[in-house]
Amino acid sequence: MAINLRPTIAEVRLSAVRKNLQKLKKTAAPARVLFVVKANAYGHGAAALARLAEREGLAWGFGVSSVEEGLALRAGGIISPVLVLGSLYPFESFVEAINADLMVTIASLDAARQVIEAARRLGKKAVCHIKLETGMGRIGARKPSVLKIYDELSASGAVAVAGMYTHFSSADTDPRYTAQQLGFFSETAAALRERGAKNLTLHAANSAAAVTVPESRLDMVRCGIAAYGLADGFEPALALKTRVVFIKNVREGAFISYNKSFCADRPLKIATLPVGYADGYLRRFSNRADVLIGGLRCRVLGNVTMDMTMVDVTAVKDAAVGSEAVLLGRQGREEVTAQELAALADTITYEVVTLISGRVPRVYLE
């Protein structure tokens, strides 16, 4: 069992995840919810949250990016459906996926032929969802290729086509483009029905579309960011916390951190925190972000370093070694949000939480 002595942790409130999934499930009904837990559940811990959702019936199944992520869920005891959303390569990945009862994404004729070969080699039927490209420009086949893929898979007898899906590019910013993508999807779904396709699970909506575009919910919605509380109207689940490990007083003119990146303009009290960019606390937060100590906002001073960050605690009367520091989350009446940190780093909330590294223990609170 790993020993964790360093006080830097990511706290995940299971009650918030539960509440968010319940809200998504109610909003999407009768469509099912595929809980997207790729990238270690956006940094929140995939195995623990998948077990919560499976145990309490909060999701129909789970979406992952890779076969490895799916295998990790199976190793963690998850028995619900798991859909690998990424394009599989090398094609030997299909063998591992089929063995573990993972549903795979098929986005090309080559992939269709490889999954057929893998299923026949194993003597076990594969289950897949076909990915339609409607405007994301990432992976997926256009309508003519989708029809050919469906025909080849259906004729093989070795692969069950369980669904078809697409991915919205701009569901939170461009309703017209989203409607256009949904129109392309509906046309292809109709063409598949004309070919005799029955009981396909059709899905297109991500969190934004599931909440704001009712017509996109179809048979299933794929929700990630809202489940973690990082979309409007949902409750954030994750907090990044540590404790002060060193306190010092500096004179006017003293330099702080690498490259003399901060110079004190008056006498200051400085706290050192055992967290840095190796933990996912971005260097872009240098001299810009606030940390909560003693219920007050304390500015980061100088460059964030690999393992440590310095902050100004001059105004915190009782600041001492051992004082709690909240880098993301709430303390007293103050809160540092993922949205705030994302704006400082000119990025998105997804990146803020998924970059919290594996050396930061996840602690789960009810």
Side-chain angles (χ1 to χ4, degrees), residues 82-94:
V82 175
L83 173 61
V84 180
L85 298 165
S87 188
L88 273 62
Y89 181 86
F91 289 124
E92 289 76 9
S93 303
F94 286 116

Side-chain angles (χ1 to χ4, degrees), residues 9-31:
I9 61 170
E11 281 186 355
V12 180
R13 291 185 303 111
L14 298 179
S15 60
V17 178
R18 179 185 296 112
K19 181 179 178 180
N20 293 334
L21 284 171
Q22 288 171 340
K23 183 174 181 177
L24 287 165
K25 189 175 179 180
K26 182 178 180 180
T27 299

Side-chain angles (χ1 to χ4, degrees), residues 64 77 103 113 155 162 164 174 248 320 325 332 340 359:
V64 297
M103 298 181 292
R113 289 161 185 160
M164 182 183 72
D174 193 333
K248 62 180 175 291
E340 175 183 338
R359 79 175 189 176

Side-chain angles (χ1 to χ4, degrees), residues 239-260:
L240 180 61
K241 298 182 177 182
T242 190
R243 292 188 178 272
V244 174
V245 295
F246 192 81
I247 291 271
K248 62 180 175 291
N249 294 302
V250 302
R251 298 176 180 178
E252 180 182 349
F255 294 109
I256 305 297
S257 198
Y258 286 117
N259 304 121
K260 301 188 296 184

Side-chain angles (χ1 to χ4, degrees), residues 296-329:
L296 299 176
R297 284 181 170 263
C298 302
R299 179 57 52 91
V300 171
L301 300 182
N303 286 336
V304 172
T305 72
M306 183 180 290
D307 310 300
M308 287 179 275
T309 298
M310 283 66 76
V311 299
D312 178 7
V313 292
T314 307
V316 184
K317 180 180 178 181
D318 299 324
V321 170
S323 295
E324 181 190 66
V326 176
L327 300 102
L328 170 62

